[in-house]
Amino acid sequence: MCRTGFAVGPRRRTTAGGWAARWNARVLALTEGRGADHVVDVVGGEGVGRSIGAARVGGTVTLVGFLDSTTVRFDLTRALRRVVRLQAVSVGSREDLEALGRALAVQGVRPVVDRTFSFDEAHAAYAYLASGAQFGKVVITLP
């Protein structure tokens, strides 16, 4: 998420030339050419170059996944000029997540819920979350 408060990126796979192929230009437009402080790349492959292009000078691109390909290709000169930091993060396996869920259930660990909003109040919930006033989770209940 960039400092402007926007979270942008491809919502689904599309053909070449679609939203996924040009989302980085949208990030630059939303940040008045500055770029995002932090880009989380779950696509890998050719998408890493777009992530680097969407990051600000001195920004960070975190590589989380490889929906497109495990082989990454990008113009190294662009990354060096922008002084972009690339970092890889391992999020673990499904089995690890399930084991964590079981451990939390056994220990009785529950999240701290600050406020609950109805679905009709979703806009107010996001405004409250954006204010930073919460301590714990902000929940939106579905009808």
Side-chain angles (χ1 to χ4, degrees), residues 71-138:
T71 302
V72 174
R73 296 189 57 187
F74 61 89
D75 180 358
L76 184 57
T77 306
R78 184 182 220 182
L80 292 172
R81 277 192 206 131
R82 297 181 72 81
V83 195
V84 172
R85 176 179 177 224
L86 296 175
Q87 70 180 17
V89 175
S90 176
V91 294
S93 66
R94 179 181 179 145
E95 292 79 24
D96 290 342
L97 179 60
E98 290 172 347
L100 174 63
R102 287 190 299 274
L104 293 174
V106 167
Q107 296 300 318
V109 176
R110 302 298 246 193
V112 175
V113 176
D114 180 284
R115 285 184 64 186
T116 302
F117 294 83
S118 71
F119 186 75
D120 293 336
E121 300 172 303
H123 193 265
Y126 284 111
Y128 181 65
L129 188 61
S131 77
Q134 80 281 359
F135 178 82
K137 305 295 181 189
V138 176

Side-chain angles (χ1 to χ4, degrees), residues 19-34:
W19 169 242
R22 63 182 194 283
W23 68 266
N24 53 321
R26 180 75 174 132
V27 170
L28 292 175
L30 288 168
T31 60
E32 299 175 344
R34 182 176 171 271

